[in-house]
């Protein structure tokens, strides 16, 4: 059945549960790979930089192939994509348990497992956005908390598995655990929204479709017999303007800031355990730091999601996001002076909370910029932008450790990178407010109408999203559009 808007409940909560399990099996497992760091380094006798490539390739492959996951989800099925991803990720972990060199791990644990995670991650997150609107931030908070809960549970479990069965046995068991992604895929029931698609005649009748596009579509309907055979099939306008959001100024600023944010956040999950060990913390205490970070991550996911759904903060999600990113950057700047377990515990609490906070708001902000109908494609691009920073930052941080003999330079670079990401968003918003004049405010509705007339596909996706929001936040006179 085609829904007028997201149901904000019902089977949507099963979608949230499925996405919750997907984040456990993908992001939590990726974070726990850092626990293998010391084991790999000792077994293969390699330096920090070469060993760090394992974790960075997993993260890079996951994000680099995110558009592929969105493509399969949009044109085949979200269920098929996630199940296929689960099989690939499990195969990669199992093959890694037989590794005889770092290069073997680069391919199996890095490329193959990362590709499997990519097919699962962005489609599952996009499905939550299709089922929720009013409670979107809360739904994302619960779904994304799987990363923190998974890290909290898996970090000590992985450490025990390594002690009992060696790193090979631990990877083999993780390979079986990741097969649960196939179960998650079965939960992802597709939903058809009116804002996502129109039938051929409906599409041609809409006022927001430019005349040039109408003529092209009419010509297509005359020339193509297949078009005539599909009068009742869904004709998705996203296929025509699927990536027009790349030219939106708001999305371009968000994309640049994400590059710096991704560079800053990745090395900490790789080097927190080795850094703790280097300052005299025991193996179990170092793993416990990861567990603390994970469980506080959960609190950040859910509480920030709930808070930003409240009326007082719903209009200020943008500033909530940049505040969370900036706080994580400050935490990284102070980390080099924290050289004992009692001092590292508060760091794990603070960094974990704000990490969970901004991770929850990434898909929410993306939906606010591009609209729900383009969310899957936009998330694919957003996570794709994480790829290069995730690939480069851990080896660069490892090279700095090898060169300087200290973690200080690595952590300072991470902190300044995240603070710059936050400052860039802040300056962009301030510049936008300064540019806005009273005259532009008075003619705002006319500008919106002109935007709808000149850029039909994108305008529809944005206004469809705006129409579903609370009237008190952004009233829209829909009658003025229908009378055009």
């Amino acid at each position: 059945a085609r829904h007028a808007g997201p149901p904000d409940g019902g089977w949507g909560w099963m979608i949230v549960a499925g996405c919750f399990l997907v984040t456990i099996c993908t992001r939590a497992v990726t974070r726990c790979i850092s626990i293998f760091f010391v084991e790999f380094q000792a077994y293969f006798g390699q330096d920090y930089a070469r060993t760090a490539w394992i974790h960075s390739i997993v993260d890079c492959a996951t994000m680099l192939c995110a558009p592929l996951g969105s493509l399969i989800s949009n044109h085949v099925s979200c269920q098929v994509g996630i199940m296929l991803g689960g099989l690939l990720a499990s195969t990669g972990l199992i093959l890694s348990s037989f590794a005889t060199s770092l290069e073997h791990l680069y391919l199996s644990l890095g490329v193959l497992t990362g590709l499997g995670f990519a097919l699962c991650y962005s489609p599952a997150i996009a499905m939550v956005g299709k089922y929720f609107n009013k409670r979107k931030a809360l739904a994302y908070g619960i779904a994304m908390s799987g990363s923190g809960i998974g890290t909290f549970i898996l970090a000590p479990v992985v450490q025990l598995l390594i002690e009992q069965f060696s790193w090979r046995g631990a990877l083999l068991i993780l390979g079986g655990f990741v097969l649960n992604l196939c179960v998650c895929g079965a939960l992802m029931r597709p939903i058809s929204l009116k804002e996502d698609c129109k039938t051929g005649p409906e599409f041609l009748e809409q006022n927001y479709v430019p005349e040039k596009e109408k003529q092209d579509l009419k010509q297509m309907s005359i020339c193509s017999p297949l078009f005539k055979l599909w009068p009742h099939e869904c004709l998705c306008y996203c296929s025509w303007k699927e990536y027009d959001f790349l030219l939106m100024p708001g999305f371009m600023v968000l994309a640049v800031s994400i590059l710096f944010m991704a560079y800053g956040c990745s090395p900490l999950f790789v080097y927190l355990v080795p850094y703790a060990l280097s300052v005299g913390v025991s193996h179990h205490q170092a793993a416990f730091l990861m567990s603390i970070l994970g469980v506080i991550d959960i609190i950040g996911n859910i509480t920030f999601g709930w808070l930003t759904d409240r009326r007082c903060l719903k209009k200020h999600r943008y500033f909530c996001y940049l505040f969370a990113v900036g706080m994580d950057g400050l935490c990284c700047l102070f980390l080099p002076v924290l050289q004992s377990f009692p001092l590292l515990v508060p760091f794990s609490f603070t960094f974990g909370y704000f990490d969970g906070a901004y991770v929850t708001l990434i898909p929410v902000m993306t939906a606010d910029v591009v609209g729900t109908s383009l969310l899957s494609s936009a998330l694919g691009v957003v996570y794709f932008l994480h790829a290069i920073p995730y690939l480069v930052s851990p080896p660069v941080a490892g090279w700095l450790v090898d060169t300087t003999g200290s973690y200080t330079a690595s952590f300072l670079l991470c902190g300044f990178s995240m603070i710059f990401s936050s400052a860039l968003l802040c300056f962009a918003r301030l510049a936008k407010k300064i540019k806005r004049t009273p005259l532009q405010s008075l003619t705002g509705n006319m500008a919106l109408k002109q935007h709808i007339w000149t850029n039909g596909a994108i305008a529809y996706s944005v206004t469809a999203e705006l129409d579903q929001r609370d009237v008190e936040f952004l009233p829209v006179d829909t009658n003025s559009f229908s009378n055009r």
Side-chain angles (χ1 to χ4, degrees), residues 389-441:
Y390 277 5
L391 178 67
V392 172
S393 58
V396 169
W399 175 79
L400 288 172
V401 173
D402 292 331
T403 303
T404 64
S406 169
Y407 289 87
T408 302
S410 299
F411 292 145
L412 289 179
L413 184 59
C414 292
F416 284 123
S417 180
M418 297 190 79
I419 290 173
F420 179 78
S421 172
S422 178
L424 179 64
L425 290 174
C426 184
F427 290 144
R429 179 53 63 95
L430 290 175
K432 186 177 180 181
K433 286 189 174 183
I434 292 172
K435 187 177 179 182
R436 190 178 298 155
T437 62
L439 180 61
Q440 288 174 321
S441 299

Side-chain angles (χ1 to χ4, degrees), residues 248-258 318 421 424-426 428-429:
M248 290 182 178
F251 184 84
M252 293 172 70
V253 172
L254 179 64
V256 174
S257 72
I258 281 174
Y318 188 94
S421 172
L424 179 64
L425 290 174
C426 184
R429 179 53 63 95

Side-chain angles (χ1 to χ4, degrees), residues 72 111 113 146 185-186 260 305 345 473:
I72 294 175
V111 177
T113 300
F260 287 94
V345 169
F473 296 137

Side-chain angles (χ1 to χ4, degrees), residues 9-255:
W11 189 258
W13 294 115
M14 293 302 295
I15 300 296
V16 170
C19 187
F20 174 84
L21 293 174
V22 168
T23 55
I24 289 178
C25 294
T26 56
R27 303 312 299 159
V29 169
T30 300
R31 288 182 178 182
C32 288
I33 290 174
S34 64
I35 297 175
F36 291 89
F37 187 94
V38 176
E39 301 294 327
F40 291 151
Q41 192 180 28
Y43 186 87
F44 296 107
Q46 299 293 337
D47 58 18
Y48 277 86
R50 283 177 58 83
T51 309
W53 277 105
I54 299 170
H55 189 281
S56 62
I57 291 174
V58 176
D59 265 338
C60 177
T62 301
M63 301 308 176
L64 190 67
C65 299
L68 178 61
S70 298
L71 184 68
I72 294 175
S73 174
N74 290 338
H75 297 282
V76 182
S77 167
C78 181
Q79 295 171 317
V80 170
I82 293 177
M83 290 181 179
L84 177 61
L87 290 173
L88 289 175
S90 177
T91 301
L93 285 164
I94 292 171
L95 291 177
S96 298
S97 66
F98 300 100
T100 56
S101 66
L102 281 182
E103 288 73 16
H104 187 160
L105 288 172
Y106 293 162
L107 293 175
S108 58
L109 186 56
V111 177
L112 190 57
T113 300
L115 174 61
F117 288 165
L119 298 184
C120 303
Y121 191 54
S122 57
I125 294 173
M127 284 295 289
V128 176
K130 288 183 175 294
Y131 272 85
F132 288 88
N133 181 49
K134 292 182 180 179
R135 290 178 285 184
K136 184 180 292 183
L138 176 60
Y140 271 125
I142 296 172
M144 305 296 279
S145 67
S147 177
I149 292 176
T151 304
F152 174 70
I153 297 173
L154 287 179
V157 169
V158 167
Q159 185 63 46
L160 288 174
L161 290 175
I162 292 173
E163 293 174 2
Q164 294 293 322
F165 305 105
S166 79
W167 63 267
R168 295 185 185 275
L171 285 174
L172 190 64
I173 294 170
L174 278 179
F177 172 74
V178 165
L179 275 175
N180 284 295
L181 286 169
C182 297
V183 180
C184 302
L187 294 173
M188 299 296 167
R189 180 188 296 171
I191 184 173
S192 178
L193 301 176
K194 284 187 177 180
E195 66 182 89
D196 288 336
C197 50
K198 296 283 181 183
T199 61
E202 289 174 342
F203 188 82
L204 292 174
E205 290 170 5
Q206 296 301 317
N207 289 326
Y208 55 77
V209 179
E211 288 299 326
K212 186 178 184 303
E213 289 189 19
K214 286 184 180 181
Q215 295 301 324
D216 292 343
L217 290 172
K218 287 177 181 178
Q219 184 67 25
M220 198 174 164
S221 66
I222 295 172
C223 298
S224 174
L226 292 176
F227 193 93
K228 295 179 181 179
L229 294 176
W230 295 344
H232 302 294
E233 291 294 325
C234 182
L235 178 63
C236 205
Y237 68 85
C238 298
S239 61
W240 304 99
K241 297 287 186 180
E242 192 170 358
Y243 289 99
D244 269 7
F245 62 84
L246 292 172
L247 300 178
M248 290 182 178
F251 184 84
M252 293 172 70
V253 172
L254 179 64

Side-chain angles (χ1 to χ4, degrees), residues 21 86 93 122 137 168 194 204 215 246 261 269 272 279 314 331 343 349 359 379 395 415 421 423 436 460 475:
L21 293 174
L93 285 164
S122 57
R168 295 185 185 275
K194 284 187 177 180
L204 292 174
Q215 295 301 324
L246 292 172
M261 180 272 293
F269 292 100
L272 179 60
V279 296
K314 197 169 187 178
C331 289
L343 292 176
F349 271 88
V359 165
L379 279 177
S421 172
R436 190 178 298 155
Y460 176 68

